[in-house]
Amino acid sequence: MGTPQEPRLAVEISGINLRNPLLVSSGTFGNGREYSEWLDLGMVGGIITKAVTLLPCNGNPPPRLWEVPCGLLNSIGLENKGVEAFLAEDLAWLNRFDVPVWVNVAGFSDEEYVAVAGMISDSGMADAIELNISCPNVKQGGLHYSSSPREAARLTAMVQKAVNLPLYVKLSARTADIKEMAVEVQKAGADGLSLINTFPAMAIDVETGRARLANVSGGLSGPALHPIAVLAVWEVAQVVDIPIIGMGGVWSWKDAAELMMAGADAVAVGTLNFVDPEAAFRIAEDLGSFAARKGFESVSELVGLTRRGGIV
Amino acid sequence: MNLGSKFSAPIIEKSVYGCLTRVVFGVDQAYLAEPGQFLHVLCGSEDGRILRRPYSLFDTASGTASILVKEAGPGSAWLARREVGEEIDCMGPLGRPFSFSIFDRPALIAGGAGIAPLIFLYKNMCSEGMEPSLFWGIERSGDYGDMPESILAEFQVRIASEDGRVGFKGTALELFTSQQPEDFSAIYACGPRGMLIELTEIMIGDRRARLQLSFEERMACGVGACKGCVVPASDPAGSYLTVCKDGPVFEGKELDWARLKSRVWQ
């Protein structure tokens, strides 16, 4: 499990042992390679790779980024080199590190999701799959699945049949009822949930009257998203019994602790990776200190603490 | 190329040239960077900006590295107001630098704040015994304080101002094209997107192979991970390159100029 860290930080989800509960979220850490010069990849709890599709995908035209107070809008549009190159070049490379890997899978049709997830599973190089049904930046890229619990459940069931790995489904908070969505996806065979994806958003340059992003809308990430994520985790944790990876604007150990107290079994750092490549490791250490200060044997004791009446 | 690192550096000197602030950081004696590379600087702000901002290195000397900050928004305004002694969180040097051969006869063309990496390049070329020609275009003579005068005193630079009060009256490109552009075997440019596009219209066909252009784009990670800061690539068709990792310096032939022209961002 990588570099030794205090036992208090170790967690297990879906049979996967993490040296600490801090993962890095999809799209914010490349496929690990870009950050391998900046930290020992074995120091993070887990890596969720950037979305991979069946065929290479150029992504959206620029501008793709716009920063807002306490947040970032992006419309990358699933730029990636396709599953074959991903397996041969990136996942094979990432396997040399002693760190659990969730592969984020996206697609433009049912068949594509199933094909890519099957190839990832068959490769034997991934620990889990994260099904991206909530990317806000491509027209058929999944957001329609996440606006309909029935569609989300149908896709989850199809992909589950094709894989031999824990299947996590990444949900968006932009849905009528995230609890219903979570329940349906669990019934369809999901082994875990990632909560939450970026939230659809928009910014306009008032000097020109034009949208800031070439794609017009994008996904909002960063601290502005955090309280929305806390509520989503809180609500969903009460209606499902599969593990939850909480994510959305984690900027400090307190944000990570909040998500865990709301019900997340592990936490992923996203946009903060762009500012501090070592953030996940640093937050894990700080979370360990907090758990020690509160007298917890394991950080897992934080999970769902608010529901149990808080720290007594 | 040098691998970057993340470090906290004190501001040891600061000088204001009109709209530009030169910020000099104290860095490790062994710190190495090449012209065209950038520092990714964590700026604060009063309204909750969260990302780093990229600044081309203006120069590095033993134990120092400096950048030119032009106020363009809350982050750069915050940075320009820091005082000597304050510690700033930096990542870098990052990105692909300019490359040159000592057998070249180079022209360096800067528009506005695009002067930063080209002064650095100019100095490196001079120390290799080359004789580069540097053209700097500014909008109005007063925009950059006394920097034009101090640069003129130190370097063989030709300045163009649009108001004609310093040097040639016109743009950097008009000045360049008035100087037998055919004579130059390599051309290096940094400036507004429109200027770079115009330059490729002068340097058509095979001559684009002689161009090295430094691009600016809004950036998040700075290390090639997020794919946010892209420009259209010529090969394969429809693909993109990241400004932070594949660039910020590109050869003219690497980019798809038709797509670049379809939307001028700045």
Side-chain angles (χ1 to χ4, degrees), chain A residues 25-26 28 72-75 132 134-137 143 146 170-174 195-201 218-222 225 228 247-249 270-271:
Chain A
S25 69
S26 180
T28 67
L72 172 65
L73 302 187
N74 87 78
S75 67
N132 185 355
S134 44
C135 176
N137 290 323
L143 201 55
S146 72
K170 187 167 185 178
L171 301 182
S172 168
R174 174 146 150 179
L195 301 175
I196 55 176
N197 210 323
T198 58
F199 200 92
L220 175 68
S221 66
L225 191 66
I228 298 174
M247 59 191 76
T271 304

Side-chain angles (χ1 to χ4, degrees), chain A residues 70-141:
Chain A
C70 301
L72 172 65
L73 302 187
N74 87 78
S75 67
I76 309 301
L78 301 179
E79 177 175 336
N80 78 96
K81 50 193 171 186
V83 66
E84 276 186 31
F86 169 77
L87 286 171
E89 296 163 22
D90 293 332
L91 196 53
W93 178 87
L94 198 47
N95 253 253
R96 75 178 70 174
F97 296 91
D98 193 9
V99 61
V101 175
W102 270 249
V103 173
N104 183 289
V105 170
F108 300 94
S109 67
D110 294 351
E111 294 74 24
E112 276 192 38
Y113 276 105
V114 170
V116 175
M119 287 169 79
I120 301 297
S121 178
D122 294 346
S123 77
M125 295 189 287
D127 295 277
I129 285 173
E130 182 183 71
L131 200 59
N132 185 355
I133 61 163
S134 44
C135 176
N137 290 323
V138 291
K139 285 185 183 64
Q140 300 87 15

